[in-house]
Amino acid sequence: MTGTTRVTIKDVAARAGVSKGAVSLAFNHKPGVSQATRERIFAAARELGWAPNLTARSLSSQRVDIVGLALCRPARLLGLEPFYMEFISGIESVLADRSCSLLLRLVRDLDEEIDLHKTWWRSRTIAGAILVDFHDDDPRVPALQAVGLPAVAVGHPSLTGAFPAVWTDDATAAAEAVRYLAALGHRRIARVGGPAGLGHSSIRAAAFETTMRQLGLEQGRQISTGFDGKEGARATRSLLLSADRPTAIVYDNDIMAVAGAGVAAEMGFVIPDDVSLLAWDDSQLCRITHPTLSAMSHDVHHFGAEVARTLFAVLDGTHSGALQVPTPSLTPRGSTAPAPQRT
């Protein structure tokens, strides 16, 4: 096509030697055209520089090219949290390949999230959803399964009901963190975790307690927080002021670990000579502190991409079961060292 003439679906059909209906079937990923014909149609569209109008597609075919994600956390915390920035980046990398969009909304609580997903689904705003931060006995499971929402759950299968799950083995990773610190000679190990009742925090807490017991260590103190730096700092201060202060602390995210390092320095403790620190979810934050923070590392971008791919498999009817992504592994850095000798 030349000049300012607008390319239409009719032009694509003519170039590919098919009907307009066949072009529509191909771009809506519906049966009715062979793979060879589908590829010929896509090639014709690329040659002509044509792409389907997403609004028209959703109105005419009832297919919506939007994926919903609701996060129950303050906007300020989301902006500071490297995990979700990397996770969303991974999701977007897959959505972009499919010319789909992510609809992100922050909610105050699970009830608001349930109502939001119901509204999105009933109004055909979204094709499916990604559900995160599962709680013990999560109310979203029965409520959203009842309305037939296609969704992928990011969490251990024990938490996610019949929703297809994509998950990491938090229990094994938590045990590895404790065993590593114990191998360095630490006997008093504490943990600064996420909110009580949050599924993955509960799994880590149980694994932490079990591993401490198996190794014959003193019962480690665990403090629940809201994941932000202020609460991480407050928990660290409480631990370091206690009579039986720990010689090592494991944090449930990098923000709290960095805040904890700041508090330790403020109180006159030298890291790692006086206290060793270990963060969950390795990020750039862990690598720019001094000393750099040891961390439980995994590829969060890849995690997000696998979640998006699984959702498309659910929508296409090709999903085959829960997917476990690689378990976070230990990356030792300058913030951990053998336990200090006490007299």
Side-chain angles (χ1 to χ4, degrees):
M1 307 296 292
T2 60
T4 59
T5 304
R6 182 180 179 185
V7 179
T8 67
I9 189 173
K10 181 178 179 181
D11 299 317
V12 175
R15 174 66 66 92
V18 298
S19 67
K20 291 192 297 182
V23 176
S24 179
L25 289 174
F27 274 92
N28 283 297
H29 304 283
K30 291 185 176 180
V33 293
S34 68
Q35 186 59 34
T37 300
R38 192 184 306 271
E39 291 175 358
R40 191 166 74 250
I41 291 169
F42 290 161
R46 286 195 298 270
E47 291 169 5
L48 295 173
W50 181 84
N53 182 294
L54 297 182
T55 303
R57 281 175 61 184
S58 64
L59 292 173
S60 63
S61 67
Q62 298 302 301
R63 177 183 174 86
V64 180
D65 295 286
I66 299 173
V67 170
L69 172 62
L71 296 177
C72 187
R73 60 191 58 227
R76 182 178 296 275
L77 177 59
L78 178 63
L80 295 173
E81 197 168 23
F83 174 88
Y84 270 114
M85 295 299 98
E86 279 290 305
F87 182 72
I88 291 171
S89 169
I91 293 171
E92 287 280 13
S93 70
V94 175
L95 297 187
D97 287 342
R98 298 210 176 206
S99 298
C100 294
S101 301
L102 181 68
L103 179 56
L104 174 65
R105 182 74 62 82
L106 302 183
V107 295
R108 291 183 295 269
D109 52 41
L110 295 182
D111 288 337
E112 183 180 352
E113 181 177 344
I114 290 170
D115 290 341
L116 175 65
H117 279 300
K118 285 181 176 180
T119 299
W120 278 348
W121 178 237
R122 288 169 176 162
S123 65
R124 304 195 65 83
T125 301
I126 60 173
I130 295 169
L131 307 176
V132 300
D133 289 341
F134 275 79
H135 291 245
D136 301 322
D137 300 317
D138 198 297
R140 292 173 295 177
V141 173
L144 298 181
Q145 285 178 346
V147 298
L149 174 70
V152 168
V154 180
H156 192 276
S158 65
L159 302 167
T160 59
F163 284 119
V166 181
W167 59 290
T168 60
D169 188 351
D170 284 347
T172 295
E176 181 185 3
V178 173
R179 292 183 184 279
Y180 163 69
L181 292 170
L184 292 177
H186 293 277
R187 308 295 294 174
R188 295 178 180 170
I189 305 172
R191 174 177 168 271
V192 178
L198 189 62
H200 67 264
S201 287
S202 297
I203 289 171
R204 295 176 190 178
F208 178 91
E209 181 179 348
T210 298
T211 307
M212 294 283 286
R213 186 171 59 251
Q214 290 173 343
L215 295 175
L217 302 180
E218 301 175 27
Q219 182 176 2
R221 184 177 172 191
Q222 300 193 61
I223 299 177
S224 297
T225 71
F227 282 133
D228 68 29
K230 288 183 179 179
E231 294 193 49
R234 186 180 302 115
T236 303
R237 188 173 289 108
S238 172
L239 290 169
L240 295 180
L241 286 173
S242 61
D244 58 345
R245 68 174 177 84
T247 61
I249 306 173
V250 180
Y251 296 85
D252 254 18
N253 74 2
D254 44 5
I255 295 175
M256 294 193 298
V258 171
V263 166
E266 167 196 306
M267 295 177 67
F269 292 99
V270 177
I271 302 169
D273 297 346
D274 299 319
V275 59
S276 287
L277 307 181
L278 193 154
W280 205 286
D281 293 327
D282 194 8
S283 72
Q284 188 65 25
L285 282 179
C286 297
R287 295 186 285 275
I288 63 176
T289 59
H290 181 74
T292 52
L293 286 170
S294 296
M296 303 306 296
S297 307
H298 63 127
D299 189 339
V300 178
H301 183 276
H302 172 75
F303 190 13
E306 288 296 336
V307 168
R309 292 188 190 103
T310 301
L311 179 58
F312 283 116
V314 169
L315 298 175
D316 295 340
T318 59
H319 175 67
S320 58
L323 173 65
Q324 181 182 347
V325 298
T327 301
S329 59
L330 179 69
T331 301
R333 296 197 182 98
S335 68
T336 50
Q341 298 297 313
R342 288 183 172 172
T343 57

